Amino acid sequence: MAAHRSGEVTLRIIGTDLPGLSCPPGGDFPGYANIHVAVQRKDAPTELLDLQRGDAQRVSWSLPCTASTSEAEGLVLNGPYIQNRLGGRFVYLSWVDVDAEGRPTMLRRGKLLLSAVTPHMLAEAVERGQLRARLTMTDEKGHPVCARLIPPRVQWNAESSG
C-alpha cells in the first residue's frame, strides 16, 4: 500500500432536499414547527456550527480536518467536529427545533459515517485537499434524516480545495 501524507483537509458537507421548517407528527415522530440543522462539535451536543433553516434550498458546512496515518486505523481524519466512538469516526448532523427566543432543542441526529469513505477516496482527498459529502436531508417519510448516513444517501468525492 502506498504511503499517505498527513495534512490539512476540508470536509465539505452539502445537503439538499431539506424537509422544511415544520413536519407533522406521525409514527414515532412527534412533529416540530421551526426545524433547523447544524453540525455538532465533538463531544459537545449543545455547540452547534452554523445553524441553518430546514426550508433552505441547500445547506453546507466546511469543516477543517487533519489527516494522519496510524498502524491501527490507516488513514483517518480528525478535527473539532469529528466524533470518534466505538464503530468509527463520524460527523453529527443535529436537527433542532428553535423556540421563539432562538433556543434550539435537539430533536434528532444523523451520523455522517466517515467509515463509508473508501481508503482510496480518502487518500485522494488528502492529496487534493477536500473531501465532499453530498446528501439528501429528508427521509422516506418526509422527516429530517437521522441514524446512519451512508451511500446511496451520501455521495463522497475528492476535490481540489480552493
Side-chain angles (χ1 to χ4, degrees):
M1 183 171 172
H4 304 291
R5 65 165 210 226
S6 298
E8 300 302 310
V9 179
T10 299
L11 173 56
R12 178 97 169 125
I13 302 168
I14 301 169
T16 58
D17 188 30
L18 280 89
L21 278 180
S22 63
C23 287
D28 63 349
F29 190 77
Y32 295 94
N34 195 12
I35 297 172
H36 288 66
V37 63
V39 171
Q40 177 189 309
R41 188 171 189 83
K42 180 181 179 181
D43 299 326
T46 61
E47 290 186 39
L48 302 174
L49 174 67
D50 197 13
L51 199 60
Q52 298 184 45
R53 294 172 55 100
D55 65 349
Q57 199 64 24
R58 145 188 154 149
V59 293
S60 64
W61 300 270
S62 292
L63 309 179
C65 302
T66 302
S68 61
T69 305
S70 74
E71 281 188 40
E73 295 181 276
L75 186 60
V76 296
L77 294 181
N78 293 294
Y81 299 95
I82 296 180
Q83 313 288 328
N84 186 13
R85 304 259 191 300
L86 197 57
R89 294 170 195 274
F90 60 91
V91 173
Y92 269 133
L93 297 178
S94 294
W95 293 96
V96 299
D97 189 39
V98 179
D99 69 14
E101 285 76 42
R103 291 182 302 247
T105 300
M106 187 176 308
L107 56 108
R108 58 178 23 180
R109 294 189 292 199
K111 282 184 174 182
L112 182 60
L113 294 179
L114 296 174
S115 60
V117 180
T118 66
H120 175 76
M121 176 72 66
L122 188 52
E124 185 178 344
V126 170
E127 291 298 318
R128 297 182 73 185
Q130 182 171 257
L131 178 64
R132 185 188 75 194
R134 182 177 294 274
L135 69 150
T136 58
M137 303 291 282
T138 302
D139 70 13
E140 295 72 26
K141 297 177 184 176
H143 299 147
V145 293
C146 64
R148 295 166 34 97
L149 303 175
I150 58 174
R153 181 172 299 283
V154 180
Q155 293 83 45
W156 292 99
N157 295 95
E159 297 184 346
S160 297
S161 57

